[in-house]
Amino acid sequence: MTALAHSFTDASAPDLAKIEPATLHHQVAQFLYLEARLADTHDYDGWEALWTDDAIYWVPANGDDTDPEKEMSVLYDNRSRIGVRIRQLKTGRRHTQTPRSELARVISNIEIAEVRGPEVDVRANVLIYEDNLRGETLWAARNTYRLRMTEQGFRLVRKKICLVNNMKPIFTLSFLV
């Protein structure tokens, strides 16, 4: 449990706006680093545990401001679909991940965009290095996150990954981005 997390009900959920900004930024950054490490090391169960029941995991295609309900996305998963994606990865039968990609990501430019009660909206830049049988690929993205403070610490409510080249054809994204 993080220093900010404690036992609370919805009515007593912390107002993150009351947290000193540098402390909140540090806690948010630590959570984003944890999420990145779990994805990079293929700790699928650990990564899946970071999501709330009302989560959305979205990689838009053809621009950043598309409507995922009306236009194509690289992926647009609700919480149930996130679970299916994890179960598929764990089978070892995802041919584009046999053998698994070696991954390393760098997260930078972490900004607190907005704080609303127990939730915080965050922006960050991400660079993912992927090495697999097809070669080496760099994936650059501008991510937005909505995090919610729970009894277990921060959890992902929404993660939007805007690949900087999403207007072009891209390789298959068969790993946790």
Side-chain angles (χ1 to χ4, degrees), residues 58 60-68 142 158 160-167:
W58 179 29
N62 303 313
D64 298 345
D65 294 320
T66 60
D67 181 345
R142 294 178 191 95
R158 178 180 172 96
K160 179 181 176 186
I161 302 100
C162 296
L163 298 170
V164 297
N165 62 342
N166 75 5
M167 300 291 280

mmCIF file with all atom_site columns, all heavy atoms in Angstrom, residues 58 60-68 142 158 160-167:
data_model
loop_
_atom_site.group_PDB
_atom_site.id
_atom_site.type_symbol
_atom_site.label_atom_id
_atom_site.label_alt_id
_atom_site.label_comp_id
_atom_site.label_asym_id
_atom_site.label_entity_id
_atom_site.label_seq_id
_atom_site.pdbx_PDB_ins_code
_atom_site.Cartn_x
_atom_site.Cartn_y
_atom_site.Cartn_z
_atom_site.occupancy
_atom_site.B_iso_or_equiv
_atom_site.pdbx_formal_charge
_atom_site.auth_seq_id
_atom_site.auth_comp_id
_atom_site.auth_asym_id
_atom_site.auth_atom_id
_atom_site.pdbx_PDB_model_num
ATOM 1   N N   . TRP A 1 58  ? -6.946  2.026  -24.205 1.00 0.00 ? 58  TRP A N   1
ATOM 2   C CA  . TRP A 1 58  ? -7.251  2.483  -25.555 1.00 0.00 ? 58  TRP A CA  1
ATOM 3   C C   . TRP A 1 58  ? -6.001  2.932  -26.289 1.00 0.00 ? 58  TRP A C   1
ATOM 4   O O   . TRP A 1 58  ? -5.225  3.727  -25.768 1.00 0.00 ? 58  TRP A O   1
ATOM 5   C CB  . TRP A 1 58  ? -8.256  3.615  -25.474 1.00 0.00 ? 58  TRP A CB  1
ATOM 6   C CG  . TRP A 1 58  ? -8.675  4.246  -26.752 1.00 0.00 ? 58  TRP A CG  1
ATOM 7   C CD1 . TRP A 1 58  ? -8.728  3.681  -27.988 1.00 0.00 ? 58  TRP A CD1 1
ATOM 8   C CD2 . TRP A 1 58  ? -9.124  5.590  -26.935 1.00 0.00 ? 58  TRP A CD2 1
ATOM 9   N NE1 . TRP A 1 58  ? -9.187  4.573  -28.914 1.00 0.00 ? 58  TRP A NE1 1
ATOM 10  C CE2 . TRP A 1 58  ? -9.439  5.760  -28.294 1.00 0.00 ? 58  TRP A CE2 1
ATOM 11  C CE3 . TRP A 1 58  ? -9.294  6.667  -26.064 1.00 0.00 ? 58  TRP A CE3 1
ATOM 12  C CZ2 . TRP A 1 58  ? -9.908  6.963  -28.805 1.00 0.00 ? 58  TRP A CZ2 1
ATOM 13  C CZ3 . TRP A 1 58  ? -9.764  7.853  -26.575 1.00 0.00 ? 58  TRP A CZ3 1
ATOM 14  C CH2 . TRP A 1 58  ? -10.076 8.002  -27.933 1.00 0.00 ? 58  TRP A CH2 1
ATOM 15  N N   . PRO A 1 60  ? -5.698  4.672  -29.863 1.00 0.00 ? 60  PRO A N   1
ATOM 16  C CA  . PRO A 1 60  ? -6.402  5.162  -31.045 1.00 0.00 ? 60  PRO A CA  1
ATOM 17  C C   . PRO A 1 60  ? -5.603  4.935  -32.324 1.00 0.00 ? 60  PRO A C   1
ATOM 18  O O   . PRO A 1 60  ? -4.371  4.836  -32.293 1.00 0.00 ? 60  PRO A O   1
ATOM 19  C CB  . PRO A 1 60  ? -6.575  6.664  -30.795 1.00 0.00 ? 60  PRO A CB  1
ATOM 20  C CG  . PRO A 1 60  ? -5.986  6.964  -29.477 1.00 0.00 ? 60  PRO A CG  1
ATOM 21  C CD  . PRO A 1 60  ? -5.301  5.746  -28.963 1.00 0.00 ? 60  PRO A CD  1
ATOM 22  N N   . ALA A 1 61  ? -6.312  4.873  -33.437 1.00 0.00 ? 61  ALA A N   1
ATOM 23  C CA  . ALA A 1 61  ? -5.692  4.835  -34.761 1.00 0.00 ? 61  ALA A CA  1
ATOM 24  C C   . ALA A 1 61  ? -6.122  6.097  -35.507 1.00 0.00 ? 61  ALA A C   1
ATOM 25  O O   . ALA A 1 61  ? -7.181  6.661  -35.230 1.00 0.00 ? 61  ALA A O   1
ATOM 26  C CB  . ALA A 1 61  ? -6.154  3.587  -35.527 1.00 0.00 ? 61  ALA A CB  1
ATOM 27  N N   . ASN A 1 62  ? -5.288  6.549  -36.416 1.00 0.00 ? 62  ASN A N   1
ATOM 28  C CA  . ASN A 1 62  ? -5.642  7.672  -37.292 1.00 0.00 ? 62  ASN A CA  1
ATOM 29  C C   . ASN A 1 62  ? -5.932  8.960  -36.533 1.00 0.00 ? 62  ASN A C   1
ATOM 30  O O   . ASN A 1 62  ? -6.922  9.634  -36.800 1.00 0.00 ? 62  ASN A O   1
ATOM 31  C CB  . ASN A 1 62  ? -6.817  7.305  -38.192 1.00 0.00 ? 62  ASN A CB  1
ATOM 32  C CG  . ASN A 1 62  ? -6.517  6.079  -39.029 1.00 0.00 ? 62  ASN A CG  1
ATOM 33  O OD1 . ASN A 1 62  ? -5.451  5.996  -39.623 1.00 0.00 ? 62  ASN A OD1 1
ATOM 34  N ND2 . ASN A 1 62  ? -7.419  5.129  -39.051 1.00 0.00 ? 62  ASN A ND2 1
ATOM 35  N N   . GLY A 1 63  ? -5.080  9.298  -35.600 1.00 0.00 ? 63  GLY A N   1
ATOM 36  C CA  . GLY A 1 63  ? -5.225  10.539 -34.862 1.00 0.00 ? 63  GLY A CA  1
ATOM 37  C C   . GLY A 1 63  ? -5.457  10.292 -33.388 1.00 0.00 ? 63  GLY A C   1
ATOM 38  O O   . GLY A 1 63  ? -5.713  9.171  -32.963 1.00 0.00 ? 63  GLY A O   1
ATOM 39  N N   . ASP A 1 64  ? -5.375  11.371 -32.605 1.00 0.00 ? 64  ASP A N   1
ATOM 40  C CA  . ASP A 1 64  ? -5.502  11.260 -31.153 1.00 0.00 ? 64  ASP A CA  1
ATOM 41  C C   . ASP A 1 64  ? -6.904  11.553 -30.647 1.00 0.00 ? 64  ASP A C   1
ATOM 42  O O   . ASP A 1 64  ? -7.262  11.155 -29.549 1.00 0.00 ? 64  ASP A O   1
ATOM 43  C CB  . ASP A 1 64  ? -4.531  12.226 -30.461 1.00 0.00 ? 64  ASP A CB  1
ATOM 44  C CG  . ASP A 1 64  ? -3.082  11.917 -30.782 1.00 0.00 ? 64  ASP A CG  1
ATOM 45  O OD1 . ASP A 1 64  ? -2.803  10.810 -31.293 1.00 0.00 ? 64  ASP A OD1 1
ATOM 46  O OD2 . ASP A 1 64  ? -2.235  12.789 -30.536 1.00 0.00 ? 64  ASP A OD2 1
ATOM 47  N N   . ASP A 1 65  ? -7.683  12.299 -31.415 1.00 0.00 ? 65  ASP A N   1
ATOM 48  C CA  . ASP A 1 65  ? -9.000  12.748 -30.953 1.00 0.00 ? 65  ASP A CA  1
ATOM 49  C C   . ASP A 1 65  ? -10.138 12.031 -31.667 1.00 0.00 ? 65  ASP A C   1
ATOM 50  O O   . ASP A 1 65  ? -11.143 12.635 -32.010 1.00 0.00 ? 65  ASP A O   1
ATOM 51  C CB  . ASP A 1 65  ? -9.129  14.264 -31.126 1.00 0.00 ? 65  ASP A CB  1
ATOM 52  C CG  . ASP A 1 65  ? -8.179  15.022 -30.228 1.00 0.00 ? 65  ASP A CG  1
ATOM 53  O OD1 . ASP A 1 65  ? -8.022  14.597 -29.062 1.00 0.00 ? 65  ASP A OD1 1
ATOM 54  O OD2 . ASP A 1 65  ? -7.596  16.014 -30.680 1.00 0.00 ? 65  ASP A OD2 1
ATOM 55  N N   . THR A 1 66  ? -9.976  10.747 -31.899 1.00 0.00 ? 66  THR A N   1
ATOM 56  C CA  . THR A 1 66  ? -11.012 9.972  -32.561 1.00 0.00 ? 66  THR A CA  1
ATOM 57  C C   . THR A 1 66  ? -12.036 9.492  -31.531 1.00 0.00 ? 66  THR A C   1
ATOM 58  O O   . THR A 1 66  ? -11.771 9.480  -30.331 1.00 0.00 ? 66  THR A O   1
ATOM 59  C CB  . THR A 1 66  ? -10.400 8.758  -33.292 1.00 0.00 ? 66  THR A CB  1
ATOM 60  O OG1 . THR A 1 66  ? -9.742  7.936  -32.338 1.00 0.00 ? 66  THR A OG1 1
ATOM 61  C CG2 . THR A 1 66  ? -9.415  9.195  -34.368 1.00 0.00 ? 66  THR A CG2 1
ATOM 62  N N   . ASP A 1 67  ? -13.178 9.095  -32.002 1.00 0.00 ? 67  ASP A N   1
ATOM 63  C CA  . ASP A 1 67  ? -14.227 8.541  -31.142 1.00 0.00 ? 67  ASP A CA  1
ATOM 64  C C   . ASP A 1 67  ? -14.147 7.023  -31.236 1.00 0.00 ? 67  ASP A C   1
ATOM 65  O O   . ASP A 1 67  ? -14.482 6.453  -32.270 1.00 0.00 ? 67  ASP A O   1
ATOM 66  C CB  . ASP A 1 67  ? -15.598 9.039  -31.594 1.00 0.00 ? 67  ASP A CB  1
ATOM 67  C CG  . ASP A 1 67  ? -16.735 8.519  -30.728 1.00 0.00 ? 67  ASP A CG  1
ATOM 68  O OD1 . ASP A 1 67  ? -16.529 7.557  -29.944 1.00 0.00 ? 67  ASP A OD1 1
ATOM 69  O OD2 . ASP A 1 67  ? -17.841 9.068  -30.840 1.00 0.00 ? 67  ASP A OD2 1
ATOM 70  N N   . PRO A 1 68  ? -13.710 6.351  -30.177 1.00 0.00 ? 68  PRO A N   1
ATOM 71  C CA  . PRO A 1 68  ? -13.518 4.901  -30.260 1.00 0.00 ? 68  PRO A CA  1
ATOM 72  C C   . PRO A 1 68  ? -14.827 4.136  -30.456 1.00 0.00 ? 68  PRO A C   1
ATOM 73  O O   . PRO A 1 68  ? -14.799 2.973  -30.855 1.00 0.00 ? 68  PRO A O   1
ATOM 74  C CB  . PRO A 1 68  ? -12.858 4.550  -28.933 1.00 0.00 ? 68  PRO A CB  1
ATOM 75  C CG  . PRO A 1 68  ? -13.294 5.626  -28.002 1.00 0.00 ? 68  PRO A CG  1
ATOM 76  C CD  . PRO A 1 68  ? -13.407 6.869  -28.842 1.00 0.00 ? 68  PRO A CD  1
ATOM 77  N N   . ARG A 1 142 ? 2.391   9.433  -26.608 1.00 0.00 ? 142 ARG A N   1
ATOM 78  C CA  . ARG A 1 142 ? 1.950   10.407 -25.611 1.00 0.00 ? 142 ARG A CA  1
ATOM 79  C C   . ARG A 1 142 ? 0.773   9.758  -24.896 1.00 0.00 ? 142 ARG A C   1
ATOM 80  O O   . ARG A 1 142 ? -0.281  9.551  -25.488 1.00 0.00 ? 142 ARG A O   1
ATOM 81  C CB  . ARG A 1 142 ? 1.521   11.702 -26.291 1.00 0.00 ? 142 ARG A CB  1
ATOM 82  C CG  . ARG A 1 142 ? 2.649   12.428 -26.976 1.00 0.00 ? 142 ARG A CG  1
ATOM 83  C CD  . ARG A 1 142 ? 2.161   13.697 -27.684 1.00 0.00 ? 142 ARG A CD  1
ATOM 84  N NE  . ARG A 1 142 ? 3.218   14.213 -28.520 1.00 0.00 ? 142 ARG A NE  1
ATOM 85  C CZ  . ARG A 1 142 ? 3.345   13.946 -29.822 1.00 0.00 ? 142 ARG A CZ  1
ATOM 86  N NH1 . ARG A 1 142 ? 2.459   13.186 -30.442 1.00 0.00 ? 142 ARG A NH1 1
ATOM 87  N NH2 . ARG A 1 142 ? 4.343   14.457 -30.505 1.00 0.00 ? 142 ARG A NH2 1
ATOM 88  N N   . ARG A 1 158 ? -8.226  4.550  -16.647 1.00 0.00 ? 158 ARG A N   1
ATOM 89  C CA  . ARG A 1 158 ? -8.161  4.755  -18.087 1.00 0.00 ? 158 ARG A CA  1
ATOM 90  C C   . ARG A 1 158 ? -6.704  4.956  -18.474 1.00 0.00 ? 158 ARG A C   1
ATOM 91  O O   . ARG A 1 158 ? -5.967  5.670  -17.803 1.00 0.00 ? 158 ARG A O   1
ATOM 92  C CB  . ARG A 1 158 ? -8.979  5.986  -18.468 1.00 0.00 ? 158 ARG A CB  1
ATOM 93  C CG  . ARG A 1 158 ? -8.971  6.342  -19.926 1.00 0.00 ? 158 ARG A CG  1
ATOM 94  C CD  . ARG A 1 158 ? -9.833  7.594  -20.132 1.00 0.00 ? 158 ARG A CD  1
ATOM 95  N NE  . ARG A 1 158 ? -9.732  8.110  -21.461 1.00 0.00 ? 158 ARG A NE  1
ATOM 96  C CZ  . ARG A 1 158 ? -10.576 7.844  -22.437 1.00 0.00 ? 158 ARG A CZ  1
ATOM 97  N NH1 . ARG A 1 158 ? -11.590 7.037  -22.230 1.00 0.00 ? 158 ARG A NH1 1
ATOM 98  N NH2 . ARG A 1 158 ? -10.428 8.376  -23.622 1.00 0.00 ? 158 ARG A NH2 1
ATOM 99  N N   . LYS A 1 160 ? -4.807  5.821  -22.163 1.00 0.00 ? 160 LYS A N   1
ATOM 100 C CA  . LYS A 1 160 ? -4.894  6.108  -23.600 1.00 0.00 ? 160 LYS A CA  1
ATOM 101 C C   . LYS A 1 160 ? -3.477  6.291  -24.109 1.00 0.00 ? 160 LYS A C   1
ATOM 102 O O   . LYS A 1 160 ? -2.740  7.152  -23.625 1.00 0.00 ? 160 LYS A O   1
ATOM 103 C CB  . LYS A 1 160 ? -5.717  7.368  -23.842 1.00 0.00 ? 160 LYS A CB  1
ATOM 104 C CG  . LYS A 1 160 ? -5.848  7.762  -25.296 1.00 0.00 ? 160 LYS A CG  1
ATOM 105 C CD  . LYS A 1 160 ? -6.665  9.047  -25.425 1.00 0.00 ? 160 LYS A CD  1
ATOM 106 C CE  . LYS A 1 160 ? -6.745  9.534  -26.841 1.00 0.00 ? 160 LYS A CE  1
ATOM 107 N NZ  . LYS A 1 160 ? -7.416  10.853 -26.917 1.00 0.00 ? 160 LYS A NZ  1
ATOM 108 N N   . ILE A 1 161 ? -3.091  5.464  -25.078 1.00 0.00 ? 161 ILE A N   1
ATOM 109 C CA  . ILE A 1 161 ? -1.752  5.474  -25.647 1.00 0.00 ? 161 ILE A CA  1
ATOM 110 C C   . ILE A 1 161 ? -1.849  6.030  -27.060 1.00 0.00 ? 161 ILE A C   1
ATOM 111 O O   . ILE A 1 161 ? -2.377  5.361  -27.953 1.00 0.00 ? 161 ILE A O   1
ATOM 112 C CB  . ILE A 1 161 ? -1.137  4.051  -25.685 1.00 0.00 ? 161 ILE A CB  1
ATOM 113 C CG1 . ILE A 1 161 ? -1.098  3.453  -24.281 1.00 0.00 ? 161 ILE A CG1 1
ATOM 114 C CG2 . ILE A 1 161 ? 0.240   4.067  -26.311 1.00 0.00 ? 161 ILE A CG2 1
ATOM 115 C CD1 . ILE A 1 161 ? -2.216  2.487  -24.015 1.00 0.00 ? 161 ILE A CD1 1
ATOM 116 N N   . CYS A 1 162 ? -1.378  7.250  -27.266 1.00 0.00 ? 162 CYS A N   1
ATOM 117 C CA  . CYS A 1 162 ? -1.423  7.877  -28.595 1.00 0.00 ? 162 CYS A CA  1
ATOM 118 C C   . CYS A 1 162 ? -0.056  7.726  -29.246 1.00 0.00 ? 162 CYS A C   1
ATOM 119 O O   . CYS A 1 162 ? 0.864   8.517  -28.979 1.00 0.00 ? 162 CYS A O   1
ATOM 120 C CB  . CYS A 1 162 ? -1.806  9.349  -28.479 1.00 0.00 ? 162 CYS A CB  1
ATOM 121 S SG  . CYS A 1 162 ? -3.458  9.594  -27.821 1.00 0.00 ? 162 CYS A SG  1
ATOM 122 N N   . LEU A 1 163 ? 0.070   6.685  -30.059 1.00 0.00 ? 163 LEU A N   1
ATOM 123 C CA  . LEU A 1 163 ? 1.322   6.474  -30.779 1.00 0.00 ? 163 LEU A CA  1
ATOM 124 C C   . LEU A 1 163 ? 1.560   7.669  -31.690 1.00 0.00 ? 163 LEU A C   1
ATOM 125 O O   . LEU A 1 163 ? 0.641   8.129  -32.372 1.00 0.00 ? 163 LEU A O   1
ATOM 126 C CB  . LEU A 1 163 ? 1.261   5.184  -31.591 1.00 0.00 ? 163 LEU A CB  1
ATOM 127 C CG  . LEU A 1 163 ? 1.085   3.900  -30.783 1.00 0.00 ? 163 LEU A CG  1
ATOM 128 C CD1 . LEU A 1 163 ? 0.789   2.728  -31.700 1.00 0.00 ? 163 LEU A CD1 1
ATOM 129 C CD2 . LEU A 1 163 ? 2.322   3.627  -29.938 1.00 0.00 ? 163 LEU A CD2 1
ATOM 130 N N   . VAL A 1 164 ? 2.792   8.171  -31.720 1.00 0.00 ? 164 VAL A N   1
ATOM 131 C CA  . VAL A 1 164 ? 3.048   9.377  -32.506 1.00 0.00 ? 164 VAL A CA  1
ATOM 132 C C   . VAL A 1 164 ? 2.918   9.114  -34.006 1.00 0.00 ? 164 VAL A C   1
ATOM 133 O O   . VAL A 1 164 ? 2.694   10.040 -34.773 1.00 0.00 ? 164 VAL A O   1
ATOM 134 C CB  . VAL A 1 164 ? 4.422   10.009 -32.175 1.00 0.00 ? 164 VAL A CB  1
ATOM 135 C CG1 . VAL A 1 164 ? 4.465   10.460 -30.735 1.00 0.00 ? 164 VAL A CG1 1
ATOM 136 C CG2 . VAL A 1 164 ? 5.564   9.073  -32.496 1.00 0.00 ? 164 VAL A CG2 1
ATOM 137 N N   . ASN A 1 165 ? 3.008   7.863  -34.419 1.00 0.00 ? 165 ASN A N   1
ATOM 138 C CA  . ASN A 1 165 ? 2.890   7.515  -35.835 1.00 0.00 ? 165 ASN A CA  1
ATOM 139 C C   . ASN A 1 165 ? 1.586   6.764  -36.127 1.00 0.00 ? 165 ASN A C   1
ATOM 140 O O   . ASN A 1 165 ? 1.528   5.977  -37.063 1.00 0.00 ? 165 ASN A O   1
ATOM 141 C CB  . ASN A 1 165 ? 4.093   6.682  -36.277 1.00 0.00 ? 165 ASN A CB  1
ATOM 142 C CG  . ASN A 1 165 ? 4.196   5.367  -35.541 1.00 0.00 ? 165 ASN A CG  1
ATOM 143 O OD1 . ASN A 1 165 ? 3.600   5.184  -34.482 1.00 0.00 ? 165 ASN A OD1 1
ATOM 144 N ND2 . ASN A 1 165 ? 4.951   4.433  -36.107 1.00 0.00 ? 165 ASN A ND2 1
ATOM 145 N N   . ASN A 1 166 ? 0.534   7.023  -35.385 1.00 0.00 ? 166 ASN A N   1
ATOM 146 C CA  . ASN A 1 166 ? -0.684  6.227  -35.556 1.00 0.00 ? 166 ASN A CA  1
ATOM 147 C C   . ASN A 1 166 ? -1.458  6.559  -36.828 1.00 0.00 ? 166 ASN A C   1
ATOM 148 O O   . ASN A 1 166 ? -2.484  5.947  -37.096 1.00 0.00 ? 166 ASN A O   1
ATOM 149 C CB  . ASN A 1 166 ? -1.578  6.297  -34.315 1.00 0.00 ? 166 ASN A CB  1
ATOM 150 C CG  . ASN A 1 166 ? -2.326  7.603  -34.168 1.00 0.00 ? 166 ASN A CG  1
ATOM 151 O OD1 . ASN A 1 166 ? -2.283  8.480  -35.017 1.00 0.00 ? 166 ASN A OD1 1
ATOM 152 N ND2 . ASN A 1 166 ? -3.008  7.734  -33.049 1.00 0.00 ? 166 ASN A ND2 1
ATOM 153 N N   . MET A 1 167 ? -0.972  7.501  -37.615 1.00 0.00 ? 167 MET A N   1
ATOM 154 C CA  . MET A 1 167 ? -1.595  7.793  -38.909 1.00 0.00 ? 167 MET A CA  1
ATOM 155 C C   . MET A 1 167 ? -1.018  6.904  -40.019 1.00 0.00 ? 167 MET A C   1
ATOM 156 O O   . MET A 1 167 ? -1.481  6.947  -41.145 1.00 0.00 ? 167 MET A O   1
ATOM 157 C CB  . MET A 1 167 ? -1.374  9.269  -39.273 1.00 0.00 ? 167 MET A CB  1
ATOM 158 C CG  . MET A 1 167 ? -1.971  10.244 -38.270 1.00 0.00 ? 167 MET A CG  1
ATOM 159 S SD  . MET A 1 167 ? -3.758  10.246 -38.267 1.00 0.00 ? 167 MET A SD  1
ATOM 160 C CE  . MET A 1 167 ? -4.074  11.267 -39.675 1.00 0.00 ? 167 MET A CE  1
#
